């Protein structure tokens, strides 16, 4: 809180979009870490105490959405800061759509298989981090505020998801409002 308050007080108004993007990324990272912790807690119990498929799906969503938001927001910050330029990859839309569908399918596999393999979860995490990077790298200029707004909404959704995991109505309602 103190670091955030001091940073926000010192930032120039022209640098505010960068700060918002960076803070947003930390919100996504929080949801990602909470998802990882909850998955680890779920795998360290006997079969009778394992979480339901809906809770595991919620955990996968927290990990995936949080990771996408984290790397996407860091890339947005770097672009606004001027330390990163737009990068266009060939068949960009096809590649991103295929990767997004792959993330959804892989998450569904982890939920329905009942797998407690942490390596598979780390693969999902890495793929989500890569997708967040690939999602934002070609975007620049006047479209950046739209991307930051989208990433901010995703952070709200991930906060709502963590509110579900912890049965915390404040996180749930706050996340819903931001999302």
């Amino acid at each position: 809180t103190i670091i955030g308050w001091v940073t926000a007080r010192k930032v120039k108004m022209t640098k505010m979009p960068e700060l918002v993007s960076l803070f947003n990324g930390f919100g996504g990272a929080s949801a990602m870490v909470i998802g990882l912790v909850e998955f680890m807690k779920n795998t360290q119990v006997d079969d009778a105490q394992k979480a339901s498929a809906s809770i595991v799906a919620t955990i996968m969503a927290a990990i995936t959405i949080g990771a996408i938001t984290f790397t996407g927001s860091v890339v947005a910050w770097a672009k606004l800061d001027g330390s990163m330029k737009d990068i266009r990859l060939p068949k960009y839309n096809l590649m991103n759509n295929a990767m997004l569908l792959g993330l959804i399918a892989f998450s569904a596999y982890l939920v329905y298989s009942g797998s407690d393999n942490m390596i598979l979860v780390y693969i999902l995490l890495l793929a989500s981090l890569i997708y967040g990077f690939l999602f934002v790298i070609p975007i620049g200029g006047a479209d950046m505020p739209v991307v930051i707004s989208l990433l901010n909404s995703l952070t709200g959704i991930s906060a709502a998801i963590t509110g579900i995991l912890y049965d915390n109505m404040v996180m749930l309602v706050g996340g819903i409002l931001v999302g």
Side-chain angles (χ1 to χ4, degrees):
T1 301
I2 292 169
I3 292 169
W5 182 78
V6 169
T7 303
R9 299 272 302 156
K10 289 185 176 186
V11 73
K12 296 177 183 176
M13 284 308 289
T14 56
K15 296 288 189 178
M16 195 57 76
E18 293 169 34
L19 184 63
V20 168
S21 186
L22 196 58
F23 282 171
N24 185 53
F26 290 137
S30 293
M32 175 184 73
V33 171
I34 287 171
L36 288 171
V37 168
E38 288 300 310
F39 188 81
M40 284 189 253
K41 278 180 23 182
N42 183 51
T43 61
Q44 295 173 353
V45 297
D46 61 24
D47 288 338
Q49 294 177 324
K50 286 204 177 202
S52 67
S54 62
I55 293 297
V56 176
T58 305
I59 291 169
M60 293 300 119
I63 293 169
T64 305
I65 296 170
I68 291 168
T69 303
F70 173 64
T71 52
S73 295
V74 170
V75 169
W77 169 82
K79 289 173 149 249
L80 290 169
D81 186 50
S83 55
M84 183 177 196
K85 303 294 178 208
D86 299 346
I87 300 170
R88 278 276 185 200
L89 300 172
K91 307 265 186 206
Y92 171 76
N93 286 331
L94 181 64
M95 181 177 58
N96 263 359
N97 289 334
M99 189 158 188
L100 180 59
L101 291 174
L103 286 172
I104 293 168
F106 191 48
S107 296
Y109 166 76
L110 290 173
V111 170
Y112 292 113
S113 71
S115 175
D116 58 0
N117 187 340
M118 263 327 272
I119 293 173
L120 294 177
V121 174
Y122 286 133
I123 290 169
L124 176 68
L125 171 65
L126 181 62
S128 299
L129 291 168
I130 291 168
Y131 178 75
F133 177 81
L134 292 174
F135 176 69
V136 180
I137 59 170
I139 301 168
D143 292 332
M144 236 11 190
V146 175
V147 171
I148 291 171
S149 294
L150 175 64
L151 292 168
N152 190 39
S153 294
L154 289 175
T155 297
I157 291 167
S158 63
I161 289 168
T162 56
I164 292 168
L165 289 175
Y166 287 131
D167 197 23
N168 184 319
M169 288 307 258
V170 174
M171 285 177 74
L172 178 62
V173 171
I176 289 170
L177 291 173
V178 171

